[in-house]
Amino acid sequence: MAITAPSGQLPAGDCVPVTVTIKNFGTTTLNTVPVTYISGAQTGTATYSGSLAPNATATVTISTPCLTVPVRPYTICAVTGATGDGDSSNDTTCIDLIGIEVLNPSSCLDFEANNGSWTPANGGNTSLWEWGAPAFGATTGGHNSTNAWDVSLTAPYINGMNDTLYTTYYNVVGAINPYLSFWQNRNTFSGDDGFWLEYTVNNGNNWQSLPSGLNGLSWYNQPNLDGLNEQAWDGNSGGWVKSTYFLSNALVGVDKVRFRFIFHSTAFGTPLDGVSIDDFCVNLPPADDAGVISVVSASGGILPQGNTDSVRIDVRNFGINTITSVGVTYSVEQGGTTLFTSNTVNWSGTLLSNGTFGTTVGLLTHPDTYTVPSGAYEICAWTTLIGDGDATNDTSCTNGVGVPVIPIDYNTSYCDDFEGPNIGWTATVDPAGNPGSIWELGAPNFGATTGAQSGSNAWDVNLGSAYTGNANCILTSPIFDFTNAVDTKLDFWRNNNCETNWDGTRLEFRIGSNPWTVLGTCTSIPPNALNWYNDCTINSSGLDAWNGNSGGWINSIWYKLNSYGGFNFNNAPTVQFRYIFTSDGSVQQDGFSIDDFCLEVPVPLTSTPTSVGSTNVPAALIFPGQCITFKSLLKNDGTTPLNTMVATLQIDGTTYVSDVVGYPTPLAAGASQLHNFSNCWSAVPGTHNICVITSLPNNSADLKPSGDTICYSITVLDSVDVSQSTYCNDFEKPSFARMANA
């Protein structure tokens, strides 16, 4: 004998029939068998009538009175009472069940005083959803207070999990547009480990996932978790995040609904901190309620500082009543200061309950534009609705970056050692990347990527920890103005320790509004580049990259940024660079660091003296009257071959000789040649300042005169004749060095 219904976890208060399967254990056919159920004070009886042969079974349903499910664990026993029963030991069977509390909408659970009557069920392993104070890694602490539901409160989850957390039931009879919200905090292995939310409207007989789409806000970031064809949340949430779902389409004609969270981890991988759930609510909307659900800058959020930009805003009707008019305003904030507040636009039209601008009339482009500030800033937009019943959902914000435009030329090179304030570098995470890996500015302090090349600071992927799996993080430079730059040299230092063949960094460039393009390949070698990519195709990106262990800091150089990939750097008004680090899903190591990023523009036309000396007399032994011929090593420090230059010799600030130096074979860029000045100088006792100055390369103005002069000092010894008189010096007066001539 067995009780086959009810089963599972039913809503408390439901009145359900009890179904019992009976068996004839005897040798005589039975025609009537009374069957009674007992559960606490509740009882009911029905009688089987028919012909039940020996060893045959039959089903008896007791529906009058039905069993009212209590709000607690309960036991149902069924007893047969056949006349003349010869063995009472098999007359009774019992089952233990749980009645699940039924809440009404506008109920919120903060899990502080109790577990909310939620029920965990494991997937056959030792790890389990637990209620209490989360205390492990990134999933430490509750949302607003101490307690939450968490996958393994004080330890990482384990591989091979498929654990379920069941909520209470909710009575949604007559509910208009109910919505669900909760807060989540997660750090899981991207792509493989994560969780999703399902619902049932028939007491658990069927479960369906709540899919992403227009009804969900902050809903699922993974389209296919671990190949299960399940949308899910995975990766690192970066702290507590609120997720909301509008249930109206899922609950048409439904009396009760129940939800369950399912956490899945792959059988192989790297278990991380886990998932926490807190402040779970099912609410009914107020009659009138509008709010901004998205705000974006028209440019995408990254623009040169000083440009103007507009804002596009999406509004949702969270309420029950149709909205025909709503005000929309936005502001630009930076560091707690409001830089700009728009006028309020009064939109008018028809916005039905649960409708959005985006799905009905199109996003609202606010007519007021703002001037992009320098650095990171925030754009916040909000609604103004008469009688708005919930102010908490009125506002939505997004981040933007005003990128400084830095002009460079041969007089103004660029070099950032990252020791001072961050000027224009922006760290972001690709939407497909794990937010747990990001470029950070500071003192690298993990494994082989500890310390900077110069000073203390550098840009590094996760300063104090290893990078995560499935990273895709981006470090974007300021905008550089190359209008007066030709053949610019790019120079930086890197220190990396990441998985060989799988994880690494590439450098991309963008000129104007052209697409981002990878700079160089693994075959880029001198004279084009030095220490460029060491892998032609890493698996995490399918592109060239630096990977493996660099063994410390290495200088990487691209010698001349002129024409590459069909794009021309020379004289381009906007040039930008970005480093992209990617990793696959397994094996994480120390990371990648960048320091001392420099752009140096060579001078088109300049000459420079690099040394000065005498050709015929040692500098330490010069006597009065000696004729000294001076020499200087002259260098073409520009990019244009030199036919002529003027070399001037000055002694103690006075020009002694100016020579026009000619080169029958033009002096190539970077080449040097020794020049002996045409007139010798008759030495005079004392200390003298000897300078060489170059000018007029190719009979034109020197474009970088700051390096055109080099000087050194010489001392000419004095002498006296002591053959005819006595020499005596008390050294009370200044005196030149002297040598006695006997």
Side-chain angles (χ1 to χ4, degrees):
M1 185 167 66
I3 300 172
T4 58
S7 63
Q9 299 177 351
L10 296 178
D14 276 14
C15 199
V16 296
V18 177
T19 301
V20 182
T21 299
I22 61 173
K23 182 177 181 179
N24 183 355
F25 290 99
T27 59
T28 303
T29 298
L30 299 175
N31 301 115
T32 59
V33 180
V35 182
T36 301
Y37 79 80
I38 302 169
S39 181
Q42 299 187 72
T43 185
T45 301
T47 300
Y48 166 81
S49 297
S51 179
L52 189 62
N55 287 323
T57 61
T59 298
V60 178
T61 299
I62 309 167
S63 55
T64 305
C66 57
L67 173 70
T68 301
V69 178
V71 190
R72 54 178 169 77
Y74 62 100
T75 300
I76 306 173
C77 292
V79 182
T80 57
T83 303
D85 192 302
D87 183 3
S88 61
S89 65
N90 56 16
D91 291 356
T92 302
T93 187
C94 298
I95 58 171
D96 294 322
L97 299 172
I98 299 176
I100 303 302
E101 183 178 10
V102 179
L103 301 178
N104 291 316
S106 299
S107 299
C108 286
L109 301 172
D110 63 8
F111 305 117
E112 291 305 310
N114 55 60
N115 66 9
S117 298
W118 286 20
T119 309
N122 69 12
N125 50 51
T126 57
S127 191
L128 187 68
W129 287 95
E130 297 177 300
W131 168 70
F136 188 80
T139 54
T140 295
H143 172 233
N144 277 325
S145 191
T146 303
N147 292 337
W149 277 97
D150 180 87
V151 176
S152 299
L153 286 168
T154 59
Y157 58 85
I158 64 173
N159 288 329
M161 288 183 62
N162 283 288
D163 286 7
T164 306
L165 178 62
Y166 293 89
T167 72
T168 57
Y169 282 90
Y170 290 87
N171 179 8
V172 291
V173 174
I176 300 176
N177 296 336
Y179 64 95
L180 170 157
S181 66
F182 66 95
W183 288 81
Q184 56 160 299
N185 184 18
R186 67 181 189 274
N187 186 27
T188 70
F189 197 85
S190 291
D192 292 337
D193 306 339
F195 74 107
W196 64 91
L197 184 61
E198 296 182 344
Y199 73 101
T200 180
V201 295
N202 56 10
N203 295 342
N205 292 321
N206 301 102
W207 289 91
Q208 301 178 69
S209 177
L210 284 172
S212 61
L214 295 175
N215 287 323
L217 301 178
S218 298
W219 205 260
Y220 300 147
N221 64 318
Q222 171 57 249
N224 185 9
L225 185 72
D226 199 22
L228 300 174
N229 200 30
E230 286 284 357
Q231 297 177 326
W233 293 281
D234 71 350
N236 190 316
S237 62
W240 286 97
V241 176
K242 185 178 182 180
S243 295
T244 302
Y245 203 91
F246 299 93
L247 297 165
S248 56
N249 293 336
L251 302 182
V252 175
V254 171
D255 292 338
K256 297 182 182 68
V257 62
R258 192 184 191 190
F259 305 96
R260 68 180 183 183
F261 292 96
I262 299 178
F263 180 84
H264 167 84
S265 63
T266 188
F268 307 98
T270 305
L272 299 177
D273 304 333
V275 171
S276 301
I277 302 295
D278 205 355
D279 295 329
F280 185 94
C281 302
V282 175
N283 287 318
L284 294 176
D288 298 298
D289 184 19
V292 174
I293 57 173
S294 74
V295 51
V296 295
S297 71
S299 66
I302 299 180
L303 270 181
Q305 68 181 72
N307 281 28
T308 58
D309 199 9
S310 57
V311 173
R312 305 179 70 198
I313 300 165
D314 199 2
V315 171
R316 186 177 196 120
N317 181 355
F318 291 105
I320 297 173
N321 296 333
T322 297
I323 292 175
T324 58
S325 177
V326 61
V328 182
T329 316
Y330 80 90
S331 66
V332 177
E333 315 278 337
Q334 188 176 58
T337 300
T338 300
L339 304 180
F340 172 79
T341 300
S342 72
N343 294 309
T344 297
V345 172
N346 290 306
W347 175 88
S348 60
T350 300
L351 190 62
L352 300 177
S353 178
N354 271 340
T356 67
F357 281 178
T359 58
T360 55
V361 297
L363 298 181
L364 171 69
T365 299
H366 202 287
D368 293 350
T369 60
Y370 69 96
T371 300
V372 177
S374 176
Y377 62 95
E378 187 177 48
I379 306 171
C380 292
W382 62 92
T383 54
T384 305
L385 178 69
I386 296 174
D388 194 298
D390 183 1
T392 64
N393 57 17
D394 289 355
T395 303
S396 183
C397 299
T398 190
N399 295 321
V401 177
V403 183
V405 180
I406 300 174
I408 61 170
D409 55 39
Y410 50 79
N411 285 313
T412 312
S413 295
Y414 171 87
C415 198
D416 196 338
D417 62 5
F418 306 122
E419 295 303 312
N422 176 24
I423 301 177
W425 290 81
T426 307
T428 56
V429 176
D430 187 275
N434 187 333
S437 289
I438 190 168
W439 290 93
E440 296 178 302
L441 177 60
N445 187 31
F446 189 80
T449 54
T450 295
Q453 158 62 17
S454 66
S456 302
N457 293 338
W459 280 99
D460 178 83
V461 178
N462 292 4
L463 286 169
S465 65
Y467 58 85
T468 66
N470 300 303
N472 192 337
C473 52
I474 304 166
L475 176 63
T476 306
S477 75
I479 296 171
F480 298 102
D481 183 351
F482 277 34
T483 298
N484 296 310
V486 174
D487 293 342
T488 304
K489 182 177 79 170
L490 183 151
D491 184 328
F492 69 94
W493 289 78
R494 61 181 170 86
N495 183 18
N496 49 276
N497 184 27
C498 42
E499 186 184 10
T500 301
N501 299 328
W502 293 89
D503 309 337
T505 295
R506 66 185 183 271
L507 178 61
E508 297 184 345
F509 70 90
R510 178 173 64 183
I511 298 175
S513 59
N514 290 301
W516 287 101
T517 304
V518 178
L519 179 61
T521 69
C522 62
T523 61
S524 299
I525 58 174
N528 296 319
L530 177 67
N531 296 324
W532 218 247
Y533 306 129
N534 63 330
D535 197 317
C536 297
T537 309
I538 62 170
N539 288 280
S540 59
S541 67
L543 299 170
D544 298 82
W546 295 282
N547 70 358
N549 191 326
S550 63
W553 287 95
I554 290 180
N555 189 203
S556 292
I557 301 173
W558 192 272
Y559 287 104
K560 288 184 178 181
L561 293 170
N562 38 46
S563 178
Y564 186 84
F567 304 105
N568 191 4
F569 287 90
N570 292 339
N571 309 119
T574 57
V575 177
Q576 206 167 11
F577 303 92
R578 69 180 184 182
Y579 293 94
I580 302 180
F581 176 82
T582 60
S583 69
D584 73 315
S586 63
V587 185
Q588 291 82 51
Q589 296 178 339
D590 303 331
F592 209 103
S593 303
I594 299 293
D595 204 0
D596 297 335
F597 181 93
C598 298
L599 295 169
E600 182 180 353
V601 182
V603 184
L605 187 63
T606 186
S607 57
T608 302
T610 59
S611 69
V612 58
S614 64
T615 63
N616 57 340
V617 178
L621 199 64
I622 303 176
F623 297 105
Q626 285 184 296
C627 195
I628 310 300
T629 299
F630 290 99
K631 63 181 179 180
S632 181
L633 189 65
L634 306 180
K635 180 180 180 181
N636 179 358
D637 230 4
T639 60
T640 305
L642 294 182
N643 298 308
T644 63
M645 72 172 76
V646 174
T648 299
L649 176 68
Q650 286 189 349
I651 300 175
D652 297 331
T654 300
T655 297
Y656 187 74
V657 62
S658 288
D659 290 343
V660 177
V661 184
Y663 299 101
T665 300
L667 188 63
S672 299
Q673 188 168 309
L674 190 66
H675 172 68
N676 296 328
F677 281 93
S678 57
N679 293 340
C680 68
W681 172 66
S682 181
V684 177
T687 298
H688 303 279
N689 190 39
I690 310 300
C691 294
V692 175
I693 304 168
T694 56
S695 62
L696 297 175
N698 289 348
N699 294 313
S700 299
D702 192 305
L703 297 179
K704 193 175 182 180
S706 60
D708 288 356
T709 301
I710 190 170
C711 299
Y712 86 125
S713 294
I714 64 171
T715 298
V716 179
L717 300 175
D718 198 2
S719 64
V720 295
D721 187 352
V722 296
S723 63
Q724 304 297 321
S725 62
T726 300
Y727 171 79
C728 186
N729 195 333
D730 63 4
F731 306 113
E732 293 302 316
K733 297 179 181 179
S735 176
F736 300 119
R738 295 179 184 273
M739 179 172 286
N741 182 9

